[in-house]
Amino acid sequence: MPNRNIKHLFIPESIAIIGASCEKGKIGHEILKNVIEYGYKGKIYPINIKEKEIMGLKAYKSVLDVRGDIDMAVIVVPAKFVPSVLLECGKKGVKAVAIISSGFSEIGNKNEEEVLVNTAKAYGISLLGPNIFGVIYTPTRLNASFGPRDVIPGDIACITQSGALGAALIGWTVLENIGLSAVVSVGNKADVDDSDLLEYFSRDKNTKGIVVYMEGVKEGRKFLQTAERVSKKKLIVIIKSGRSEKGAKAAASHTGSLAGSDKVFSAAFKQSGILRADTMEKAFDWARICSLPAPEGEGAVILTNGGGVGVLATDACDKERIKLLDDHKYLEETFRPYMPVFGSARNPIDITGQATVEDYFNAFKKAMESDKISALIVLNCETAAFDTVEFSEKVIKYFHSLPGWSKKPVVFNFIGGIKSKNAMDILNKNKIPAYPQPERAVNSLGALYKWRKYTKTEKKQIKKLDIDKEKIYSIINKAREEGRLQLLEHESKDILKACGLDLPKYKLATTIEEALKAAEKIGYPIVLKIVSEDIIHKSDIGGVKVGIKNAKELKNAYKEIMYRAKKSYPKANIRGILVNEMVEKGVEIIVGCSEDPQFGPVIMFGLGGIYVEVLKDVAFRVAPIDKEDALDMIDDIKSYPLLYGVRGEKRKDINSLAENISLLSYFSHEIPEIVEMDVNPLIVLEEGCKIVDVRMTLKEV
Amino acid sequence: MPNRNIKHLFIPESIAIIGASCEKGKIGHEILKNVIEYGYKGKIYPINIKEKEIMGLKAYKSVLDVRGDIDMAVIVVPAKFVPSVLLECGKKGVKAVAIISSGFSEIGNKNEEEVLVNTAKAYGISLLGPNIFGVIYTPTRLNASFGPRDVIPGDIACITQSGALGAALIGWTVLENIGLSAVVSVGNKADVDDSDLLEYFSRDKNTKGIVVYMEGVKEGRKFLQTAERVSKKKLIVIIKSGRSEKGAKAAASHTGSLAGSDKVFSAAFKQSGILRADTMEKAFDWARICSLPAPEGEGAVILTNGGGVGVLATDACDKERIKLLDDHKYLEETFRPYMPVFGSARNPIDITGQATVEDYFNAFKKAMESDKISALIVLNCETAAFDTVEFSEKVIKYFHSLPGWSKKPVVFNFIGGIKSKNAMDILNKNKIPAYPQPERAVNSLGALYKWRKYTKTEKKQIKKLDIDKEKIYSIINKAREEGRLQLLEHESKDILKACGLDLPKYKLATTIEEALKAAEKIGYPIVLKIVSEDIIHKSDIGGVKVGIKNAKELKNAYKEIMYRAKKSYPKANIRGILVNEMVEKGVEIIVGCSEDPQFGPVIMFGLGGIYVEVLKDVAFRVAPIDKEDALDMIDDIKSYPLLYGVRGEKRKDINSLAENISLLSYFSHEIPEIVEMDVNPLIVLEEGCKIVDVRMTLKEV
């Protein structure tokens, strides 16, 4: 637990600024100034080898010269001095250190950075950075950064890998009235990383939502597992840049972080309840809903004074899959009293531009109190007569009157000028999400639905396989002894069988007699396949024969396969011919397992043939996954309707497919020796699935 | 040309407010107040049956009492009085009238509305509305609306079908510093419609971009044709609500407008160079680029002081298919002088947080002057040291120094607080587009690329078919005489042949002998199909036999088809059996032509089988289209890579497919009698295409 001291980055009782400076414009000056002026209440010790006093505070040559305890230090001295001042921090017993200084791994100086980490570990220091713009925690009025001084206190924590962007965003949050609990620049993540911070904020009662700007992650799996837990309690939104190939390259050259496959990132985020935003605007829009309760049941209501904006919101609800309540009788009874005759009580509820503040508020209150309405979207087109600010104030008063705040999620959108902006500002300041565009309001409510769906899902136990590891490793070791990384078909199948997976019958035959005997036992029709580590593309050289109906056909096929194999590959080491049970027709599926540089074992799935190869219609997950996740994964691909049975075919056994994907993911996670597995095809039948062919590759040692 | 007087809605020399009122809060009061206070310079005549003076102006009982000419009148009296005051306007020679009053077709009073239109036509009045919130034209300081008084003058015209939304949006444009030339509420579009207004603004030198909020369109094809011309000169952005089924329903109940198929709307907009935005924010973001020149060539450059935001912009460029210049040597030479050693001259050009205003401006200027750089994206993360406003001022000065403004498109994004907002505001006020988020800047530049690509495309002549109309109508008339709307297969094929389309050989046979003779002439193998208006699903009852290789097989097949047809449909009127040339294997395509309620003949295309039926992977266009449009249409579907040849197959003749689609679209446009045509399948071969089956349905009379 290297980061037990992380809390001292946020709630230190005393802080030293090492490299504090009298000179305006210097980072050491700006940080000290921010610490003082933002209102930090603890002790502040400027450290400077020359000065006696800085900004009215007594300055010290070294932290070792300070009499009292120092909880946290901020280091802003040039890179070459950092190791020694950090060491002094260790000796002084400083618990947490934020290293602003750059000049480490981000420009290739990896050893210099490792030295810092070693010192931090030796003294139990939680080390943030290096190469950061600082750390801000509003509940303790701590602004130890050279970013803007003024930060609006609130309940969103912001973690950023880009210092420049983070500092710039603070100013933007002020304009947008976004309240923050913390801003943490993580820089090179030498010690304290995203996982540590998520862990910390998950227990921080001042933080309800976490926004992360990320270019790469060092320990993907650790991050994933942490996020999985944390997002059950707090909303996590991530902007992961480098989505495109060019963007990933730019990110790599910028921070030296490995971008990894973007599809895997998306899958990992989804699995751990993280919402992935593609823009900062969206990220903070979504973060605003972190205080809202989960919707109970379905059936949202749109309340509006303008038909047009109601239609736009309806379109947006459809896109977000938010169902609108359509019990017209109920809606008519509920809302008719608050509108003129030409108003519409069909959802969207249009109480028209004639509605007074009283009408609007009463309709709003009625909706809030209705058991049938699970979520509320309140829109308003600015008119001269309507006092939007007064309406907002009434809404806030109502929220405060509720025991334990609102039990129902509600979002607002006021379209208009300064009056609308003011009305939205006061809502947002009171943690009631309001947006200048109807789509942003609905999209954010959609984010709440997604997140709350995750928090409600119970993590199912992954069905464990009864794996005969001894058997598996005997096969693996045999291949290793023979210097092979590629397993033979029957070896791969033996391994899956040793995991308890159900496969069609097969037997390796080395003579025609053995083949006949095997076929007799399996039952015709059968499939013959050549087995040789030297022949990869079996079909291409005529090494596969399907639909063999009897002994006579078998003999001919056997001879022909052998003849062709030897002709194409005279030097091949032929192990024999695999006699396989013939599987009936169904939908062909490809399942692949491989090793992702960030996340370790991942599983890929798609429909066989053109769907994977040409249309690239595939879904990823970090392994292992349970059956529910596998069903979700199946739902991710566009060609999934083919599994429902098309052109008169019956529906395929999607349940069994999901079970198989889950088992294969579990297997690939449990046997790290096998770094790659291609199940191609797996055939989904009306009942059950059959793994027809599988290839496995061992890890290089 | 009923709307030759439309200009008087915008540049009237005198205006009458019929229903002007002394009473504050009344619409008739607010409009007069806006007209006076926004600074209209022409003559203003309040019309009120009771008052002698309103707001210091002499009031008249009727327009007929006014001595001077009245160019424009605004009518705000209750619906029942509108017909008579409109008539008086006609008699007075008023040229344009805006009817604010509601109570017409929007609540079902269609006749009352028709009366207004008739009066307007009789007197040559251009009639705007009824049911609108007014009209604003900033160059003449005319604000004849009951919306907000203050509108920022600029070059974007806004046309809105929703009054409430339009009025609310004005306030929002003030906050966002969006300059407008006009705001027109079109309401029920009884006379002046979107097409008329597009036409007007296309010639208005004060307008460069047009934003339309639309729920439905009455004369789709007229609108399309107008937009096609106008968008060559001016940028048109449309927010068409009712994208979803629920949204369309809400729109229909709101304005009574027919929403039509959303996919057809999207296609129509694309064909006519209109950009379709899904939110108002996007619409105005895009509209801001209306003054920018077209990019010359490819290769954009991102200039930034922060790596993170550079990566986000790179991702956004990838999404918008904006190519970044990657001539590293050139970039290094060009930009290295303006950055510290640790800056990056790879694109994005990161001149780092240390860059001064001088550095930033010099790098910007260098990029503007480079012949190799076709477009520029300037990003900035706010820092304490950098004066963003000073930088913006230098940029504006530079723009003003250029002969004829900038020759290169450039967009800005400043992330930060009030300093950045101020810097962006002054850029926007000078018609240099600046956005608070990098993605919004890049996405808007992407919009410019799309629009400018359209303005550069020359409208190609659609290849005309040499249609034998006599022959076609003889077939149609025969079917009509027999009381059929459904044509028989050979009739449909005869029609396509009569249009000069190339079809595989076929012949109707009524006896085995005729069939044998036909097969002999066509050449084996052949396909036999039953022909009867009473048998729709031919295959299902065994009415089709393929791959018939010789006379013997033909005889058996003929008998079997006849036997099965008679067994399944004993009362069917069997016309004979169609003997068809057998077409080799290729990619099966479906082309459908039908009648859209808004746009008339439309054409649909998709890959046969599951691609259309299950995956709904289809593209639409309004017919007719040329070959280029057809190629674009092919590019629209997700499964198009299958045409490039998969799994070792050769590439299919996409060119010939596009030609066929174009010809079929031309045909469906030329022969309105045929309201529906299904070509299924059309087989695309390595060389050429073959129409294997086609069904046609006649218009009901």
Side-chain angles (χ1 to χ4, degrees):
Chain A
M1 284 291 284
N3 287 318
R4 64 180 190 282
N5 278 326
I6 197 168
K7 67 172 183 214
H8 296 288
L9 287 171
F10 305 103
I11 45 171
E13 293 193 0
S14 49
I15 179 169
I17 318 293
I18 306 174
S21 165
C22 289
E23 205 175 314
K24 229 183 128 181
K26 276 211 160 185
I27 289 177
H29 181 88
E30 300 302 323
I31 290 180
L32 180 60
K33 198 166 170 235
N34 272 348
V35 170
I36 296 168
E37 295 190 355
Y38 191 60
Y40 172 66
K41 296 280 178 280
K43 285 201 173 125
I44 308 169
Y45 302 108
I47 312 292
N48 184 303
I49 43 165
K50 287 184 210 148
E51 307 290 340
K52 291 250 156 80
E53 192 202 290
I54 305 173
M55 286 184 232
L57 293 172
K58 178 172 166 29
Y60 300 82
K61 286 206 183 334
S62 157
V63 286
L64 295 172
D65 299 337
V66 174
R67 279 226 186 143
D69 287 344
I70 300 176
D71 279 356
M72 175 189 180
V74 181
I75 298 179
V76 275
V77 299
K80 59 182 172 179
F81 303 123
V82 173
S84 63
V85 300
L86 181 64
L87 191 69
E88 289 180 357
C89 286
K91 291 190 174 166
K92 174 65 186 169
V94 174
K95 289 158 193 149
V97 174
I99 303 180
I100 306 289
S101 321
S102 53
F104 297 92
S105 68
E106 83 280 6
I107 57 162
N109 295 341
K110 289 190 182 174
N111 287 343
E112 287 78 351
E113 190 162 301
E114 202 182 322
V115 165
L116 303 184
V117 174
N118 291 339
T119 302
K121 282 202 175 139
Y123 289 95
I125 293 171
S126 280
L127 188 159
L128 182 68
N131 187 28
I132 62 172
F133 82 95
V135 54
I136 298 170
Y137 190 63
T138 58
T140 55
R141 300 300 295 177
L142 174 70
N143 183 342
S145 83
F146 62 92
R149 187 177 58 243
D150 293 318
V151 183
I152 301 179
D155 49 16
I156 300 168
C158 180
I159 301 170
T160 173
Q161 193 168 357
S162 164
L165 185 58
L169 272 180
I170 295 173
W172 179 76
T173 58
V174 172
L175 285 185
E176 297 282 314
N177 265 290
I178 298 166
L180 303 175
S181 58
V183 182
V184 190
S185 173
V186 288
N188 298 1
K189 307 184 195 178
D191 174 31
V192 170
D193 64 9
D194 307 290
S195 307
D196 299 324
L197 290 165
L198 287 191
E199 199 72 79
Y200 179 75
F201 289 124
S202 80
R203 286 187 308 265
D204 175 27
K205 67 179 192 339
N206 298 307
T207 297
K208 289 202 171 129
I210 306 162
V211 172
V212 185
Y213 169 79
M214 177 186 276
E215 289 173 0
V217 65
K218 274 176 182 168
E219 294 176 74
R221 196 162 281 262
K222 176 184 153 197
F223 177 74
L224 183 59
Q225 284 161 349
T226 309
E228 217 168 61
R229 249 180 303 116
V230 176
S231 58
K232 288 276 173 191
K233 289 162 65 185
K234 313 259 163 129
L235 173 69
I236 307 175
V237 184
I238 292 191
I239 313 140
K240 159 79 181 66
S241 69
R243 293 183 90 106
S244 62
E245 210 186 306
K246 282 229 170 193
K249 255 189 215 163
S253 82
H254 167 224
T255 52
S257 55
L258 198 57
S261 157
D262 195 69
K263 278 206 164 192
V264 175
F265 265 103
S266 280
F269 292 163
K270 194 175 181 191
Q271 282 174 266
S272 48
I274 293 170
L275 302 183
R276 182 175 188 177
D278 54 0
T279 69
M280 291 170 291
E281 185 175 276
K282 227 174 238 179
F284 283 97
D285 274 359
W286 294 353
R288 280 194 205 272
I289 53 95
C290 63
S291 314
L292 295 187
E296 296 293 332
E298 285 186 333
V301 155
I302 299 171
L303 188 64
T304 183
N305 66 341
V309 68
V311 180
L312 289 172
T314 305
D315 282 345
C317 283
D318 183 77
K319 206 172 165 189
E320 293 295 325
R321 300 196 201 180
I322 294 173
K323 279 194 190 143
L324 295 177
L325 188 65
D326 57 1
D327 180 340
H328 296 305
K329 196 169 157 271
Y330 176 78
L331 292 168
E332 184 70 32
E333 280 167 13
T334 311
F335 296 107
R336 182 53 67 187
Y338 313 111
M339 61 178 75
V341 268
F342 57 94
S344 167
R346 297 181 88 81
N347 202 353
I349 311 297
D350 183 356
I351 63 174
T352 85
Q354 292 192 3
T356 63
V357 168
E358 208 58 35
D359 292 333
Y360 232 106
F361 178 71
N362 286 335
F364 158 79
K365 196 159 160 264
K366 196 86 182 183
M368 290 300 283
E369 285 164 3
S370 157
D371 285 339
K372 279 208 168 184
I373 298 169
S374 65
L376 186 58
I377 299 155
V378 182
L379 314 173
N380 185 280
C381 285
E382 191 169 307
T383 64
F386 190 85
D387 189 338
T388 332
V389 172
E390 188 194 338
F391 172 62
S392 287
E393 278 162 358
K394 279 176 101 76
V395 166
I396 291 163
K397 212 169 147 194
Y398 173 77
F399 267 74
H400 282 289
S401 75
L402 295 175
W405 207 243
S406 168
K407 296 266 181 303
K408 184 177 292 181
V410 50
V411 291
F412 290 80
N413 154 241
F414 297 162
I415 299 178
I418 192 67
K419 191 164 69 172
S420 296
K421 169 129 176 58
N422 290 341
M424 288 190 286
D425 281 351
I426 62 166
L427 286 177
N428 279 320
K429 274 183 192 154
N430 281 277
K431 294 174 189 175
I432 303 168
Y435 306 87
Q437 299 280 333
E439 297 82 4
R440 285 171 64 182
V442 172
N443 182 255
S444 302
L445 184 63
L448 179 78
Y449 273 71
K450 280 186 203 91
W451 173 47
R452 287 304 190 177
K453 191 181 160 199
Y454 175 83
T455 61
K456 280 182 182 174
T457 318
E458 272 174 60
K459 184 79 189 166
K460 293 202 188 57
Q461 210 51 47
I462 291 171
K463 194 174 162 185
K464 288 210 168 102
L465 289 166
D466 186 17
I467 298 184
D468 181 352
K469 288 208 177 173
E470 203 178 315
K471 167 90 183 163
I472 291 173
Y473 280 97
S474 79
I475 296 168
I476 290 174
N477 292 338
K478 187 168 167 259
R480 290 222 186 273
E481 275 161 28
E482 291 178 9
R484 285 184 285 126
L485 289 177
Q486 199 73 44
L487 298 187
L488 298 165
E489 184 176 346
H490 63 288
E491 291 173 334
S492 299
K493 285 184 167 174
D494 286 349
I495 286 178
L496 289 187
K497 262 180 90 174
C499 297
L501 275 159
D502 186 30
L503 276 88
K505 292 174 204 137
Y506 62 90
K507 183 140 186 52
L508 183 68
T510 52
T511 62
I512 291 192
E513 290 67 37
E514 279 181 27
L516 282 168
K517 211 187 275 174
E520 216 48 63
K521 214 171 159 187
I522 291 167
Y524 291 99
I526 54 141
V527 177
L528 295 187
K529 293 191 208 173
I530 190 81
V531 177
S532 165
E533 60 266 42
D534 302 317
I535 304 172
I536 305 297
H537 300 289
K538 293 171 281 202
S539 299
D540 294 358
I541 58 133
V544 179
K545 289 272 171 194
V546 302
I548 294 162
K549 287 196 230 50
N550 51 44
K552 194 184 155 199
E553 284 186 19
L554 186 147
K555 281 183 211 164
N556 289 337
Y558 193 101
K559 283 183 212 155
E560 199 185 327
I561 288 175
M562 279 299 183
Y563 168 79
R564 292 217 183 168
K566 281 174 184 161
K567 202 179 155 198
S568 299
Y569 291 95
K571 289 180 183 172
N573 180 17
I574 291 172
R575 308 290 185 130
I577 284 182
L578 202 65
V579 184
N580 298 276
E581 182 185 344
M582 177 107 175
V583 176
E584 52 185 309
K585 274 200 172 177
V587 175
E588 291 196 6
I589 296 289
I590 296 177
V591 179
C593 294
S594 62
E595 192 81 10
D596 181 82
Q598 262 89 38
F599 294 99
V602 293
I603 186 160
M604 182 277 285
F605 144 86
L607 263 65
I610 50 161
Y611 299 98
V612 167
E613 287 166 30
V614 184
L615 304 180
K616 317 281 183 215
D617 187 16
V618 293
F620 282 88
R621 288 291 182 278
V622 176
I625 56 171
D626 66 14
K627 206 181 111 186
E628 292 304 309
D629 275 342
L631 283 169
D632 190 55
M633 192 181 181
I634 293 168
D635 199 51
D636 267 4
I637 64 166
K638 293 192 194 79
S639 41
Y640 76 88
L642 293 177
L643 289 163
Y644 290 127
V646 295
R647 318 200 119 192
E649 286 169 3
K650 283 204 180 140
R651 184 191 163 97
K652 299 297 176 282
D653 194 342
I654 295 172
N655 220 30
S656 160
L657 170 62
E659 238 160 42
N660 271 274
I661 292 175
S662 170
L663 292 175
L664 289 166
S665 81
Y666 179 72
F667 162 77
S668 82
H669 180 252
E670 286 297 294
I671 315 288
E673 287 274 330
I674 291 160
V675 289
E676 226 182 289
M677 168 166 69
D678 279 305
V679 176
N680 183 9
L682 174 155
I683 294 186
V684 196
L685 305 169
E686 284 167 28
E687 247 179 79
C689 287
K690 297 277 184 185
I691 292 170
V692 172
D693 203 349
V694 54
R695 278 182 200 183
M696 294 183 185
T697 309
L698 300 178
K699 182 175 273 176
E700 283 191 66
V701 280
Chain B
M1 285 292 282
N3 289 317
R4 66 179 188 283
N5 278 327
I6 196 167
K7 68 173 186 216
H8 296 287
L9 287 171
F10 305 104
I11 46 171
E13 294 192 359
S14 49
I15 180 171
I17 318 293
I18 305 175
S21 165
C22 290
E23 205 175 316
K24 226 182 132 184
K26 277 211 160 184
I27 291 178
H29 179 89
E30 299 304 321
I31 291 180
L32 179 60
K33 199 168 170 229
N34 273 346
V35 171
I36 295 168
E37 295 190 356
Y38 192 60
Y40 173 67
K41 296 279 177 279
K43 286 205 174 120
I44 307 169
Y45 303 109
I47 311 293
N48 184 305
I49 42 164
K50 287 184 210 149
E51 308 288 342
K52 294 246 153 82
E53 192 200 291
I54 303 174
M55 285 184 236
L57 293 172
K58 179 171 164 32
Y60 300 81
K61 287 206 186 330
S62 156
V63 287
L64 295 171
D65 298 338
V66 173
R67 280 222 185 148
D69 285 343
I70 301 175
D71 279 356
M72 175 190 179
V74 180
I75 297 180
V76 275
V77 298
K80 59 183 171 180
F81 302 124
V82 173
S84 63
V85 300
L86 180 64
L87 191 72
E88 288 180 0
C89 287
K91 292 186 172 168
K92 174 66 185 168
V94 174
K95 290 160 193 148
V97 173
I99 303 180
I100 307 289
S101 321
S102 52
F104 297 90
S105 69
E106 83 280 6
I107 55 162
N109 295 339
K110 290 188 181 176
N111 286 343
E112 287 77 351
E113 191 163 302
E114 204 184 318
V115 166
L116 302 184
V117 175
N118 290 340
T119 301
K121 283 200 174 141
Y123 289 94
I125 294 171
S126 279
L127 188 159
L128 182 67
N131 186 29
I132 62 171
F133 81 94
V135 56
I136 299 171
Y137 190 63
T138 60
T140 54
R141 302 298 295 177
L142 175 68
N143 182 344
S145 83
F146 61 93
R149 185 175 59 242
D150 292 319
V151 184
I152 301 178
D155 48 17
I156 300 168
C158 182
I159 301 169
T160 174
Q161 193 169 356
S162 162
L165 187 58
L169 272 178
I170 294 172
W172 179 78
T173 58
V174 173
L175 285 186
E176 299 280 315
N177 265 291
I178 299 165
L180 303 175
S181 58
V183 182
V184 190
S185 174
V186 286
N188 299 359
K189 307 184 193 177
D191 173 33
V192 171
D193 63 10
D194 307 290
S195 308
D196 299 324
L197 290 165
L198 287 190
E199 200 72 82
Y200 179 75
F201 289 124
S202 81
R203 288 186 309 264
D204 175 26
K205 68 178 188 344
N206 298 306
T207 298
K208 288 202 171 128
I210 305 161
V211 173
V212 185
Y213 169 80
M214 176 186 276
E215 291 172 359
V217 66
K218 274 176 182 169
E219 292 175 76
R221 194 162 282 261
K222 174 184 158 199
F223 177 74
L224 183 60
Q225 285 161 351
T226 308
E228 216 167 60
R229 249 179 304 114
V230 175
S231 58
K232 289 273 173 196
K233 290 163 64 186
K234 313 260 164 128
L235 173 68
I236 306 175
V237 184
I238 292 191
I239 312 142
K240 160 76 181 68
S241 69
R243 292 183 90 105
S244 62
E245 208 186 304
K246 281 228 170 193
K249 255 189 214 163
S253 82
H254 168 221
T255 51
S257 55
L258 199 56
S261 157
D262 195 70
K263 277 204 165 193
V264 174
F265 266 103
S266 280
F269 292 164
K270 195 176 179 188
Q271 281 173 267
S272 49
I274 293 171
L275 302 183
R276 182 174 187 178
D278 54 1
T279 69
M280 290 170 290
E281 185 175 276
K282 226 173 239 177
F284 284 97
D285 274 358
W286 294 353
R288 280 194 203 275
I289 54 94
C290 63
S291 313
L292 295 185
E296 295 296 333
E298 284 188 334
V301 155
I302 298 171
L303 187 63
T304 183
N305 67 342
V309 67
V311 179
L312 289 173
T314 306
D315 282 345
C317 282
D318 183 78
K319 205 171 163 188
E320 292 296 325
R321 300 196 201 179
I322 295 173
K323 279 196 190 144
L324 295 177
L325 188 65
D326 58 1
D327 181 341
H328 296 305
K329 194 166 159 277
Y330 175 78
L331 291 169
E332 184 70 32
E333 280 167 11
T334 310
F335 295 106
R336 182 53 67 186
Y338 312 111
M339 61 178 78
V341 268
F342 58 93
S344 168
R346 299 180 87 82
N347 203 354
I349 313 296
D350 182 357
I351 63 173
T352 85
Q354 291 191 6
T356 62
V357 167
E358 210 56 38
D359 293 333
Y360 232 106
F361 178 71
N362 286 334
F364 159 79
K365 196 159 159 264
K366 195 87 183 185
M368 290 300 285
E369 285 164 2
S370 157
D371 284 339
K372 280 207 169 187
I373 298 169
S374 64
L376 186 56
I377 299 155
V378 183
L379 313 174
N380 186 279
C381 285
E382 190 170 309
T383 64
F386 190 85
D387 189 340
T388 331
V389 172
E390 187 193 339
F391 173 63
S392 287
E393 278 163 354
K394 281 177 100 76
V395 166
I396 292 162
K397 213 169 148 192
Y398 172 78
F399 266 74
H400 282 288
S401 76
L402 296 174
W405 207 242
S406 168
K407 295 268 183 299
K408 185 177 293 183
V410 51
V411 291
F412 290 81
N413 155 240
F414 298 162
I415 299 179
I418 191 69
K419 192 164 70 172
S420 297
K421 166 120 178 65
N422 289 340
M424 288 190 287
D425 281 351
I426 63 168
L427 286 177
N428 279 321
K429 273 181 193 154
N430 281 277
K431 295 177 189 173
I432 303 168
Y435 305 87
Q437 300 279 333
E439 297 84 2
R440 284 171 63 182
V442 172
N443 180 256
S444 302
L445 184 63
L448 179 77
Y449 274 72
K450 281 185 204 92
W451 173 49
R452 286 303 190 180
K453 193 182 158 199
Y454 175 83
T455 61
K456 280 181 181 174
T457 319
E458 272 174 59
K459 185 78 191 166
K460 294 203 184 56
Q461 210 52 45
I462 291 172
K463 194 173 161 186
K464 290 216 169 99
L465 288 166
D466 186 16
I467 297 183
D468 181 351
K469 289 209 177 172
E470 202 174 318
K471 165 92 183 160
I472 291 173
Y473 281 96
S474 78
I475 296 169
I476 290 173
N477 292 339
K478 186 167 167 262
R480 290 219 186 274
E481 276 162 27
E482 291 178 10
R484 283 185 287 126
L485 289 177
Q486 200 74 42
L487 298 187
L488 298 165
E489 184 176 344
H490 64 284
E491 291 173 335
S492 298
K493 286 183 169 174
D494 286 348
I495 286 178
L496 289 187
K497 264 179 85 173
C499 297
L501 274 157
D502 188 27
L503 276 87
K505 292 173 203 135
Y506 62 90
K507 182 138 186 57
L508 183 68
T510 51
T511 62
I512 291 191
E513 290 65 39
E514 278 180 29
L516 282 169
K517 212 187 275 176
E520 215 50 63
K521 213 171 164 191
I522 290 167
Y524 290 99
I526 54 136
V527 177
L528 296 187
K529 292 193 208 173
I530 189 82
V531 176
S532 165
E533 61 266 41
D534 302 318
I535 303 172
I536 306 296
H537 300 291
K538 292 173 278 203
S539 298
D540 296 356
I541 59 135
V544 180
K545 290 270 170 194
V546 302
I548 295 163
K549 291 195 227 53
N550 50 46
K552 194 184 153 201
E553 284 186 17
L554 186 147
K555 280 182 211 165
N556 289 335
Y558 193 100
K559 282 180 212 157
E560 198 184 327
I561 288 175
M562 280 298 187
Y563 169 76
R564 292 214 184 173
K566 281 174 182 160
K567 203 180 152 196
S568 300
Y569 290 95
K571 289 179 183 170
N573 180 16
I574 292 170
R575 308 292 186 127
I577 285 182
L578 201 66
V579 184
N580 298 276
E581 182 186 345
M582 176 108 175
V583 176
E584 55 186 306
K585 272 199 174 178
V587 175
E588 292 196 5
I589 296 290
I590 296 177
V591 178
C593 296
S594 61
E595 191 81 9
D596 180 82
Q598 261 87 40
F599 295 100
V602 294
I603 185 160
M604 183 277 287
F605 144 85
L607 264 64
I610 50 159
Y611 300 98
V612 167
E613 287 167 30
V614 184
L615 304 180
K616 318 279 182 215
D617 187 16
V618 294
F620 282 88
R621 287 294 182 276
V622 176
I625 56 172
D626 67 13
K627 205 181 112 189
E628 292 304 310
D629 275 343
L631 283 169
D632 192 55
M633 192 182 181
I634 294 168
D635 200 52
D636 266 4
I637 63 165
K638 293 192 192 80
S639 41
Y640 76 88
L642 294 175
L643 290 163
Y644 290 127
V646 295
R647 318 199 118 192
E649 285 169 3
K650 283 203 180 141
R651 185 190 162 96
K652 299 298 175 283
D653 194 342
I654 295 171
N655 221 30
S656 159
L657 171 62
E659 240 162 39
N660 271 274
I661 292 175
S662 169
L663 292 176
L664 288 168
S665 81
Y666 179 72
F667 161 77
S668 82
H669 180 250
E670 286 298 293
I671 314 290
E673 288 272 330
I674 291 159
V675 288
E676 226 181 292
M677 167 165 69
D678 279 304
V679 177
N680 183 10
L682 174 154
I683 294 186
V684 196
L685 305 168
E686 283 166 27
E687 251 180 73
C689 287
K690 297 277 184 186
I691 291 170
V692 173
D693 201 350
V694 54
R695 278 182 199 183
M696 294 180 185
T697 309
L698 300 179
K699 184 176 272 178
E700 284 190 67
V701 280

